[in-house]
Structure formats: C-alpha cells, structure tokens
Amino acid sequence: MNQYGRIYNFSAGPSMLPVPVLERCRDEMLNYRGTGMSVMEMSHRSKIFIEIARHTEELLRQVMAIPDNYKVLFMQGGASLQFAAVPINLRVNGKADYVRSGNFSTIASKEAAKFLTVQIAGSSEETSFDHTPLQEELTLDPGADYLHICMNNTIYGTKFPYIPKTGKVPLVADISSCVLSEPIDVSKFGLLYAGVQKNLAPAGMAIVIIREDLLHEPPENTPLMLNYKLTADKDSMYNTPNCWNIYVTGLVLEYLQSIGGVEEMARRNRKKAALLYDYLDQSHFYIAGARRDCRSMMNVIFRTDSPELDARFVAEAAEEGLVTLKGHRVLGGMRASIYNNMPYEGVERLVDYMQRFEKQHG
C-alpha cells in the first residue's frame, strides 16, 4: 500500500482516480462551495450546476484542443451505448466500414449491423487480435457513412499507432481506454467517444465529441436519449444528466492541467509503459501478448506458460496490494491496466513483485 493506505488497482475499469481529486470530492461532499448540499443533490437546472457543466466542457476543450466546429456531449451510459448511437445518428447511405481489432470493436460492428450494412474493412482476428491492421491492410468504401475504429484495445493490449486515412469518409473512434493519455488531433476525426471510467471519472457516462456537420435529424424512431442533435441542442441537459460524473470529470481535468496537461501525462505514461515492457522483453519467464509495433500504453497483457502459475501470480499479488491483475476471461493470463492515474510507483512495485515471482518459480 502507498502512503494513503490505498492499494494499487490495475483494473481495466473502473480505474484509479487521482488522490487530490478524491480529497476534493471528500471536502465538497456535504457542502459544495457554500450551497449547503452535495453536487449529487442539486438541480441540474440550477445556476451553480450549469456553471460546473460549462467549466468541465471548457476544460476538456482546452486540454484536448477541440476545434470550435465540434460539439461536446455528456451522455448517460457507457461507451457500449454509443455502439448503437453512432450508426443511428450518422446513417446517410446506410452502410459503414468497421475495423475489428479486438473484442469491443467486434461488438460495436455487430451492434451497428442492426441499423445499417456493415463491411469489415480490416481485421486482426486471424492472429488472435495481437495487432491492429495497418493502413494498407484496410479495404475502405468511399461511399461509407463512416469508418469506425477502437483506438486502444483493453483486452488484447494493442492500440492504433496511426490515424487511418479515410478521404472524405468521417472517421469515428472509440477512445475510451486511451482518452487524454497522449495528444490526439481531434480534427482528423468526425466523431470521438469515450466512456469516462478509465481516465476521467466513475462509470456511468460517455463523452461524445462530434463535428457539427455530422449533426442532423436522425430517424423518427430514434430513442430520445440516443439523439445527438437533441443532446447538442439541449446542451446535454434534455433530462437530468449524470451530474456527479460531469463534476468529477471537471476535477480530473483541473488536476491534469495542474501537472502540465496531456503532454506531461503522455510523458508519464510512456515512462510507466517502458518500465513494464522493458522488463517483459528481457524476461524468459513471462510472455507478452501484443505485437511490439502496436502495444498499448494503457493495458499490458502478459502470462506465464502455466495457467496454474498465472492464478498463483494474481492471488499472491493481491496479498501485496497489487490488485485486479487477472486477465480477461477471453485470454486468461494477466493484464496490468496502467491508466493515467496509476502512479509510476505502482508500476515499480509491480515489476519488483514480478521479478521476485520469476526468481521463485522460473
């Protein structure tokens, strides 16, 4: 445990939050800035909460350098709900391209197929999703309504090391598990969406960043809560939004700015990932799961050559305050999710434990 008596939580989500943010939540829990109540209790129509939401959006625009011709939407539910919202709202010609590079991109393509014709523009399924397809491996339809990718794959530990070129076709990306981990050129995308429970806030909300020319009236049978244009027109307050998540997101963004922004966070993330991957690459005991040219900075996949040893590794790690290292049930093995708010010291502790475990069982 660290100096706060807290464990190091390597969960793929929900993930760790910065201690200063948790302390701020604690201090403002009963009485937010003299209002006599918590943010969780106040009306979303109140002047004080509207200011909280406005400030959070403003901060997000600053740290991500979001162009003025993009709308920011705070939508209830996680990223998985956007698997349906995207095809419903972006449908024009009734067909879309999807790249399958992991579990969630595959689910997204299947969900989209309920609403339009889906072409699989590229896939790494034949090699067990150990990499993301290269640009030259993509077969793109110039008449598609959009191309959808998942930038970072939490289960298989891979990421897109490039931004696909799509011509005039809008590029849509799920950035749930890599949002704010490093700079991203928003102008290269038509739409970005992210569940907030990895790098921003507790579970239960998604952020959608959409270019204004893609906002149009969806089909009449579109559920109200999936309607991008309605959400944008109502400033994400058609009904009561996830007030607490908007508030915590703002606090995390303030913290991010205080340490130097996304550029500094990217430096820290690269340092953490390098420490762990460098150890894995020299080890003859652990086996890394992703191809080197597209390794994720956020989710590091590895295993031993024995499922029994993997289980023992996870159990004994938990005894040392290193928790949630069990790999996804699809892959087994281990997964260390080292999102933005995992401190470098947590990765140091993990590598130290890995060394001792290897010496004992290798």
Side-chain angles (χ1 to χ4, degrees), residues 19-298:
V19 169
V21 169
L22 294 171
E23 291 176 329
R24 179 92 171 269
C25 290
R26 176 200 63 199
D27 294 343
E28 296 178 339
M29 178 66 73
L30 296 180
N31 187 352
Y32 177 78
R33 299 190 180 183
T35 61
M37 58 182 160
S38 166
V39 173
M40 290 187 287
E41 300 170 290
M42 63 181 56
S43 168
H44 66 292
R45 306 291 184 191
S46 65
K47 182 179 179 180
I48 188 73
F49 182 75
I50 290 173
E51 173 57 26
I52 290 172
R54 185 203 63 77
H55 181 57
T56 298
E57 178 180 340
E58 183 179 277
L59 287 170
L60 186 68
R61 287 184 175 278
Q62 290 173 7
V63 299
M64 290 189 69
I66 300 174
D68 291 341
N69 63 324
Y70 284 73
K71 291 288 189 181
V72 174
L73 313 179
F74 300 120
M75 302 191 70
Q76 298 188 46
S80 294
L81 194 60
Q82 298 305 314
F83 296 168
V86 167
I88 290 173
N89 285 273
L90 299 192
R91 179 186 173 116
V92 177
N93 299 320
K95 54 182 181 177
D97 286 345
Y98 275 72
V99 177
R100 288 183 175 177
S101 57
N103 184 66
F104 291 110
S105 58
T106 298
I107 295 173
S109 68
K110 292 178 179 179
E111 187 77 349
K114 299 175 182 177
F115 306 101
L116 40 64
T117 300
V118 168
Q119 176 198 233
I120 305 305
S123 175
S124 54
E125 187 170 6
E126 288 188 359
T127 57
S128 300
F129 297 121
D130 67 343
H131 71 288
T132 49
L134 302 174
Q135 177 76 49
E136 56 268 27
E137 296 174 320
L138 303 181
T139 303
L140 303 178
D141 180 357
D145 293 333
Y146 59 87
L147 169 67
H148 178 284
I149 64 172
C150 182
M151 287 290 289
N152 186 82
N153 302 291
T154 59
I155 294 177
Y156 294 91
T158 63
K159 72 171 184 177
F160 270 82
Y162 69 99
I163 297 177
K165 296 178 181 179
T166 61
K168 295 182 179 180
V169 175
L171 178 60
V172 174
D174 176 354
I175 57 170
S176 296
S177 53
C178 60
V179 62
L180 298 174
S181 63
E182 59 184 334
I184 186 171
D185 187 348
V186 175
S187 69
K188 302 283 188 182
F189 300 82
L191 185 151
L192 295 164
Y193 66 92
V196 297
Q197 72 273 16
K198 316 286 189 179
N199 281 336
L200 277 166
M205 186 176 79
I207 293 173
V208 176
I209 302 168
I210 181 170
R211 205 171 62 216
E212 290 180 346
D213 63 287
L214 297 177
L215 282 170
H216 52 76
E217 292 291 348
E220 290 185 4
N221 63 348
T222 299
L224 290 172
M225 302 312 298
L226 295 184
N227 187 323
Y228 287 158
K229 188 174 187 307
L230 177 65
T231 304
D233 289 346
K234 298 296 183 180
D235 295 322
S236 301
M237 294 193 192
Y238 173 77
N239 74 333
T240 307
N242 193 324
C243 299
W244 181 254
N245 262 326
I246 293 173
Y247 160 70
V248 176
T249 295
L251 296 185
V252 171
L253 291 169
E254 286 181 1
Y255 169 78
L256 182 59
Q257 277 194 326
S258 75
I259 66 168
V262 179
E263 291 77 12
E264 171 60 18
M265 185 57 73
R267 185 194 68 80
R268 295 184 183 191
N269 285 333
R270 294 182 186 116
K271 183 180 178 183
K272 289 186 298 185
L275 176 63
L276 186 46
Y277 280 123
D278 286 349
Y279 172 67
L280 285 171
D281 288 341
Q282 62 81 43
S283 172
H284 299 290
F285 180 73
Y286 299 104
I287 304 163
R291 211 167 73 182
R292 293 192 184 194
D293 61 338
C294 55
R295 283 173 166 173
S296 169
M297 279 201 306
M298 299 282 95

Side-chain angles (χ1 to χ4, degrees), residues 1-8 318-323 349:
M1 294 186 181
N2 59 24
Q3 68 268 35
Y4 299 98
R6 287 168 53 78
I7 57 176
Y8 292 107
E319 294 175 0
E320 298 201 18
L322 308 169
V323 304
R349 285 281 303 278

